[in-house]
Amino acid sequence: MADVVFRWFVDQAGLSDRVASASAGTGDWHVGEPADVRTLQSLERRGYDGSRHRARRFTLADFDDFDLVVALDRSHERVLSNWARTTADTDKLGLLLSYDPQAGGEIDVPDPYYGDAGMFDEVLAMIESASRALFRQLEPAIRTTS
């Protein structure tokens, strides 16, 4: 969800040629698979297209390829921190909700997997708010970087 939503903000701002993003998990059990059908349905209800998403596992090269590595919860952040090879890698880590002043002190995006469609929609709303806040913080630097 998060990458689809963040990409939407990038695309709407006309910056898709200047911003690279990717979704990756810390486990390999769904590699190559599309997103959960409930995720796709939730995204579709809000006007997003997640049909091209395929699961992949985070690799150490991602630390080299991306300026920012955003985790959705502290457990993933811990795994990524343990994989970090340098302080520079660790410095790239952030929690998605930490960028959103509207998150109300929440730190972790909950996993809706065992919930109903309403839970997927609630998680999507959290992701939208935090992705909007993150994009607003990054956009000035993206626009001024040549």
Side-chain angles (χ1 to χ4, degrees), residues 60-76:
L60 294 180
D62 289 329
F63 281 122
D64 300 326
D65 295 341
F66 295 101
D67 297 319
L68 183 63
V69 176
V70 179
L72 272 65
D73 65 37
R74 286 172 288 182
S75 68
H76 294 133

Side-chain angles (χ1 to χ4, degrees), residues 26 47 97-98 127:
T26 56
L97 292 186
S98 71
I127 288 171

Side-chain angles (χ1 to χ4, degrees), residues 88-145:
D89 288 351
T90 305
D91 289 346
K92 292 180 179 188
L93 296 175
L95 285 166
L96 181 62
L97 292 186
S98 71
Y99 298 98
D100 188 2
Q102 303 301 313
E106 290 289 325
I107 295 173
D108 296 330
V109 174
D111 184 349
Y113 187 78
Y114 294 104
D116 60 10
M119 180 67 170
F120 279 79
D121 291 342
E122 288 174 32
V123 167
L124 178 55
M126 295 171 80
I127 288 171
E128 285 177 315
S129 182
S131 294
R132 180 181 301 108
L134 173 59
F135 181 73
R136 285 182 178 156
Q137 289 180 43
L138 296 175
E139 184 180 18
I142 296 166
R143 290 193 181 280
T144 59
T145 305

Side-chain angles (χ1 to χ4, degrees), residues 18 32 54 80 113:
R18 305 202 51 205
R54 293 298 176 267
L80 293 167
Y113 187 78

Side-chain angles (χ1 to χ4, degrees), residues 19-71:
V19 177
S21 69
S23 173
T26 56
D28 63 359
W29 46 90
H30 293 292
V31 169
E33 295 178 12
D36 184 292
V37 68
R38 296 165 299 172
T39 294
L40 296 173
Q41 291 168 344
S42 184
L43 286 166
E44 187 176 314
R45 282 192 291 276
R46 300 283 294 184
Y48 301 104
D49 179 9
S51 64
R52 290 181 284 160
H53 170 81
R54 293 298 176 267
R56 73 177 191 85
R57 187 170 189 205
F58 186 88
T59 68
L60 294 180
D62 289 329
F63 281 122
D64 300 326
D65 295 341
F66 295 101
D67 297 319
L68 183 63
V69 176
V70 179

